[in-house]
Amino acid sequence: MRDTPLTDKIFVRTLGQGAREVLALHCTIAHSGAWSGLATALEGEATFTAPDMPSHGRSTDWDGHGDLFDQVTQLSAAHLTGPMDVIGHSFGGMLALRLAVEFPDLVRSAVLIEPVFFAVAIQDTPDLVRQHDEEAKPVSNALAAGNFEQAARLFNRMWGAQDGPRWPELPERTRAGMIRGIHVVPAVDDALFLDQKGMLNPGVLDHASMPVLILSGSETHPVMPAIGEGLARRLPNARTGVVSGADHMVPITHPDQTAAVIRKFWSDLS
């Protein structure tokens, strides 16, 4: 593993060693180290370049100015050093999708693990989005009240591994990292729910013509496979897959099973 601090104050971790160059984009309130298990499972096959988003891991904080989704997209694109395989989880899956659309010559393939593109489900399965919104209300209320600790705790309970440690059992450093990053959640809501960037406009997703794999956990929130299936119908060369026994935290809790599915996907590209 190599750790590289960049001049733009975005921290980048290199994991694994292998001929396949992978750009790995983590989920909200996590950090680049979340890819350690998957990179280990793919050791010898792939080298992961994994940046920390602003306000996450060892990167500096987002200053609250400008469009965060645009900024993180640009920061992520800076690591596409040539045609690479991109893997993204949750909000990182949204970043991976946007890179595939905007930089198709630099994205050889894309793996979107539970991408949180709720605008797809708003079109296809609005009842599931309403269910999600009702369940997420306590998080939204805590964020609106400026109670970031409560918001992070509830967000982690909703999206974290259901059989993982409870909030009081998490290390203090882990809790602090989640609290630090939670403020970015509402900053990207318009992009995720309202398709502020117009990615669902006619013809836009056609730019992502490379092979795309969209993964869900079998035990995840029902809106997530609905998003995956909806995206697969809209993309020109996409398939879906399921990791048995996993919830939303697929690559973290089930790295070996996730690696097996990705390995098969990559082998089919040859």
Side-chain angles (χ1 to χ4, degrees):
M1 182 185 79
R2 299 190 305 278
D3 298 342
T4 308
L6 298 185
T7 56
D8 58 9
K9 300 180 181 177
I10 294 300
F11 182 82
V12 182
R13 195 183 306 259
T14 303
L15 297 162
Q17 291 184 332
R20 188 177 291 275
E21 294 288 339
V22 174
L23 176 61
L25 305 168
H26 66 78
C27 64
T28 305
I29 71 170
H31 56 80
S32 56
W35 295 110
S36 299
L38 185 61
T40 297
L42 292 167
E43 182 68 41
E45 300 175 57
T47 301
F48 280 47
T49 297
D52 285 334
M53 287 195 299
S55 295
H56 292 72
R58 293 163 67 180
S59 289
T60 55
D61 288 337
W62 177 50
D63 62 10
H65 297 296
D67 186 301
L68 178 65
F69 192 21
D70 286 349
Q71 291 176 22
V72 180
T73 300
Q74 292 163 7
L75 290 167
S76 301
H79 304 295
L80 289 172
T81 54
M84 298 177 73
D85 301 284
V86 180
I87 303 176
H89 174 217
S90 195
F91 178 62
M94 276 297 298
L95 289 169
L97 176 63
R98 193 170 177 193
L99 293 179
V101 167
E102 296 187 4
F103 303 93
D105 293 342
L106 296 176
V107 178
R108 183 169 47 221
S109 74
V111 178
L112 315 179
I113 305 175
E114 300 236 336
V116 285
F117 200 177
F118 293 101
V120 172
I122 287 173
Q123 291 186 5
D124 295 356
T125 54
D127 288 349
L128 291 178
V129 180
R130 283 192 288 270
Q131 177 187 340
H132 162 271
D133 290 351
E134 187 63 31
E135 294 172 4
K137 268 186 180 178
V139 179
S140 301
N141 291 341
L143 283 167
N147 189 340
F148 291 161
E149 180 173 0
Q150 176 77 344
R153 183 178 69 81
L154 295 172
F155 188 86
N156 181 63
R157 179 190 297 171
M158 183 171 180
W159 292 112
Q162 297 307 302
D163 58 354
R166 302 296 90 184
W167 183 260
E169 300 164 355
L170 292 171
E172 172 60 31
R173 183 177 178 181
T174 300
R175 296 198 302 268
M178 292 181 177
I179 295 166
R180 174 183 174 229
I182 195 66
H183 72 108
V184 308
V185 171
V188 295
D189 272 355
D190 285 351
L192 304 187
F193 288 85
L194 304 180
D195 189 29
Q196 179 191 51
K197 304 304 174 184
M199 294 177 68
L200 297 180
N201 289 348
V204 174
L205 290 179
D206 291 344
H207 294 292
S209 58
M210 72 290 296
V212 177
L213 172 65
I214 308 169
L215 285 181
S216 298
S218 66
E219 307 306 311
T220 192
H221 192 287
V223 76
M224 298 314 301
I227 292 171
E229 291 158 11
L231 268 177
R233 288 193 296 270
R234 291 167 170 85
L235 287 162
N237 188 14
R239 69 181 82 170
T240 60
V242 176
V243 176
S244 180
D247 49 34
H248 183 64
M249 304 309 290
V250 179
I252 298 173
T253 60
H254 291 68
D256 292 335
Q257 297 93 317
T258 304
V261 178
I262 292 174
R263 188 180 291 112
K264 174 64 166 60
F265 171 65
W266 283 343
S267 70
D268 290 344
L269 306 181
S270 305

